[in-house]
Amino acid sequence: EAGVAQSPRYKIIEKRQSVAFWCNPISGHATLYWYQQILGQGPKLLIQFQNNGVVDDSQLPKDRFSAERLKGVDSTLKIQPAKLEDSAVYLCASRSQGAPGYTFGSGTRLTVV
Amino acid sequence: QQQVKQSPQSLIVQKGGISIINCAYENTAFDYFPWYQQFPGKGPALLIAIRPDVSEKKEGRFTISFNKSAKQFSLHIMDSQPGDSATYFCAASLGTGRRALTFGSGTRLQVQP
């Protein structure tokens, strides 16, 4: 089966600019996650979707971050405006209904300068 | 209550040796404990997982030991190989994996030839 696709792989922006990341999960996976991984740390949950509904966005900085999952398939994560501390790898993962294990994409490495 | 603490931060093992990584959790409601392996430039990949009703699970050279009373679990890599050199993350979640994973801070393993 095809893996979780993410784009772009790399992005460099100036602070206060906006940026968007895209994720295409494994076909049929109802649950989708966005994680932020700062260099040298473990992934930290930003948001969890079940189909196109939000299950958990308690750790999403809603003043600057937004995410949507239209039609319960693809998802986009947006940051506006970006801050220096947003420099990280943004990982998308998906999970099928009956299985607990995630499949992660390779991530988007964001550098804010 | 949601923290998962992981040690050591880094580990150097000789080829053929045993690698041991430890994790401790606080939330006694956690009921799913996976380990993920991450290579540079890639997303984490599920390695092995355990539920709290068993004390040990083995898959090939990888073994999870689980101590419910101590709220600790560990990953043992037997006969460590240079190809095992990667960053390892422990994690925990609620609802047998239906809720989002909380990750440890990671252990960078280097297996010397």
Side-chain angles (χ1 to χ4, degrees):
Chain A
E1 72 186 351
V4 175
Q6 289 189 248
S7 67
R9 284 301 312 273
Y10 306 94
K11 190 76 176 177
I12 301 175
I13 62 172
E14 294 183 350
K15 60 183 179 183
R16 291 187 290 273
Q17 286 188 323
S18 63
V19 65
F21 313 124
W22 174 80
C23 172
N24 181 233
I26 292 174
S27 177
H29 281 195
T31 309
L32 184 147
Y33 308 84
W34 284 101
Y35 278 82
Q36 179 193 58
Q37 186 175 23
I38 293 172
L39 186 65
Q41 299 182 18
K44 175 188 156 188
L45 178 72
L46 291 173
I47 190 166
Q48 176 184 352
F49 290 97
Q50 178 73 20
N51 295 308
N52 60 348
V54 174
V55 174
D56 184 357
D57 65 355
S58 59
Q59 298 180 76
L60 187 74
K62 298 182 187 63
D63 58 332
R64 299 185 299 108
F65 286 65
S66 63
E68 60 181 8
R69 190 182 184 196
L70 299 176
K71 302 181 181 177
V73 182
D74 292 6
S75 177
T76 56
L77 176 70
K78 296 179 182 177
I79 307 175
Q80 181 179 11
K83 292 185 176 181
L84 296 176
E85 59 260 38
D86 297 332
S87 294
V89 175
Y90 290 85
L91 293 163
C92 178
S94 68
R95 179 176 64 78
S96 70
Q97 195 100 10
Y102 293 10
T103 301
F104 278 92
S106 293
T108 296
R109 181 177 296 278
L110 173 68
T111 302
V112 182
V113 297
Chain B
Q1 276 262 314
Q2 293 295 321
Q3 261 192 322
V4 179
K5 295 182 180 178
Q6 184 172 347
S7 63
Q9 195 171 14
S10 62
L11 183 61
I12 299 175
V13 173
Q14 296 297 314
K15 179 182 175 182
I18 302 173
S19 304
I20 302 174
I21 305 170
N22 301 299
C23 281
Y25 62 97
E26 298 172 358
N27 189 346
T28 55
F30 283 144
D31 59 5
Y32 174 70
F33 302 89
W35 285 89
Y36 279 78
Q37 179 189 56
Q38 186 176 31
F39 292 104
K42 300 291 186 182
L46 179 64
L47 196 59
I48 186 172
I50 198 168
R51 292 199 166 93
D53 52 343
V54 296
S55 60
E56 186 174 282
K57 183 174 181 180
K58 183 176 181 179
E59 289 184 2
R61 296 184 295 110
F62 301 93
T63 299
I64 299 179
S65 296
F66 186 83
N67 186 330
K68 189 172 181 179
S69 60
K71 295 189 286 185
Q72 295 175 347
F73 58 111
S74 60
L75 175 69
H76 296 234
I77 306 174
M78 311 300 287
D79 186 26
S80 298
Q81 299 297 312
D84 296 331
S85 297
T87 300
Y88 292 81
F89 294 96
C90 61
S93 77
L94 305 169
T96 8
R98 286 193 298 275
R99 298 300 303 275
L101 290 170
T102 297
F103 284 86
S105 54
T107 296
R108 188 170 179 177
L109 172 65
Q110 185 180 345
V111 181
Q112 295 186 330

